[in-house]
Amino acid sequence: MENLALIDSFSEFKDDKLIDRVTLMAILEDVFRNALKKKFGSDDNFDIIINPDKGDMEIWQRRVIVADDDLDLDHLEITLTEARKIEPDFEIGEEVSEEVKLIDLGRRAILALRQNLISKIHEHDNTNLYKQFKDLVGDIYTAEVHHVRPRVVILVDDEGNEIMLPKEKQIPSDFFRKGDNVRGIIESVELKGNKPQIIMSRTSELFLEKLFEQEIPEVFDGLIMVKKVVRIPGEKAKVAVDSYDDRIDPVGACVGMKGSRIHGIVRELGNENIDVINYTTNTQLFITRALSPAKVSSIKINEETKRAEVFLKLEEVSKAIGRGGHNIKLAGLLTGYELDVIREGNIAEEEDDVELTEFSDEIESWVIEEFAKIGLDTARSILKQDVNDLIRRTDLEEETILEVMRILKDEFNG
């Protein structure tokens, strides 16, 4: 049947698409009804009969028989003479049904039908894709690197769907090659025109939270709750965890023996340093835990301004601040308080201490800034540190650190 052949030719392009035959036939009916409306002004007197099993479709036009000299609307009416060519015993007033062959619509109309059909199926696919990924927002997803561009990595999943991983959603140490499998969370799905744009993120706090769910059975089972996550992607993160069961140590369960459980998460995040902290509603205790590994002497909290003065011994200040100021920044984000570090120490020593900026004629400004990043801004605060510890916590070479210490010692020994 020629209608069937035409329908098959229309549907050839959809072989690689996830669209069933019934849906295709429904789209076909909609497309053909629009074509009939365009050609005849209305599709009210047309019947479209679809057989999804065979993939066949018939179009029948119904017209009322009128006298030969009374024809007014030829798409709604047919003369008696023309009607009796179909069936000799037809009478005026009766209704005639004739099959409309698609080929009779003309080559231009068929090309327009095909284009409209392609557009409708793409629209259907995009709507389904949008709904599918909208339900996956906030979930971990894995896809393969298809193309690496300066500002975005294009990923493709097993079904051929395209997923975008923008540069700002990548961990700074991320390096991808074509064919690599990449994990992240589906952060958002937006319709750009009619096409859904799927965005993946590896820098989101939610990605780290979901990794805990995926990698730590007690979190997955709900025995341990992840209360809050804060991150500086690729550098450091703090995760507050809690359990309703006093028999479970949430921190120990998350970290595992010698860090065995959390190691996979750390590796996935480009060796991001993850501190797991016991959550508590006791604000002072929570701030103390959040500033680990520093030992806090005391805390003075102002609830109105959401600020806290944290008193620390001189040797604990650099630990509290952390490399690049990451530790104190994350502790503030985790607890919801702006933290001000107050140094405690030997008063006599503090009085004769010298600001590091006073040595700007002998020590380069960028070196002074490196020490300031870890909370060391006076001569004595640096001289109290271990050289190996300073090498580890700053981006300075051993030679530079030793030279700075020599200059500072000369100040007090001179």
Side-chain angles (χ1 to χ4, degrees), residues 217-234:
E218 291 87 345
V219 176
F220 180 80
D221 293 335
L223 298 172
I224 294 173
M225 290 77 64
V226 175
K227 302 293 284 186
K228 191 168 183 182
V229 176
V230 291
R231 292 177 69 192
I232 298 170

Side-chain angles (χ1 to χ4, degrees), residues 69-189:
D69 57 356
D70 203 19
L71 183 67
D72 185 21
L73 301 168
D74 61 355
H75 68 285
L76 296 173
E77 300 169 339
I78 185 172
T79 63
L80 183 60
T81 302
E82 289 298 315
R84 284 180 171 169
K85 288 178 183 177
I86 300 166
E87 194 69 50
D89 55 355
F90 271 137
E91 298 293 340
I92 290 171
E94 292 183 330
E95 192 174 74
V96 176
S97 285
E98 274 189 291
E99 186 175 2
V100 178
K101 300 295 184 185
L102 298 185
I103 202 74
D104 295 339
L105 296 175
R107 183 174 172 276
R108 183 175 295 177
I110 289 171
L111 287 172
L113 278 167
R114 182 184 174 85
Q115 194 58 45
N116 197 9
L117 180 62
I118 292 170
S119 175
K120 289 279 185 183
I121 288 181
H122 283 164
E123 188 180 313
H124 170 270
D125 288 341
N126 288 336
T127 301
N128 281 357
L129 191 62
Y130 178 80
K131 288 178 182 174
Q132 176 191 339
F133 277 91
K134 202 70 179 170
D135 290 340
L136 291 173
V137 168
D139 287 350
I140 286 184
Y141 203 77
T142 303
E144 187 179 290
V145 174
H146 184 261
H147 193 72
V148 179
R149 293 178 182 162
R151 299 298 306 161
V152 67
V153 172
I154 312 296
L155 309 168
V156 175
D157 68 8
D158 292 340
E159 296 175 356
N161 300 315
E162 197 173 88
I163 297 160
M164 320 288 280
L165 178 59
K167 187 72 176 175
E168 64 272 16
K169 307 290 182 187
Q170 298 169 29
I171 295 167
S173 61
D174 279 345
F175 179 76
F176 302 117
R177 292 187 180 89
K178 186 177 173 66
D180 287 350
N181 280 325
V182 179
R183 272 201 299 179
I185 62 155
I186 301 299
E187 187 172 74
S188 65
V189 184

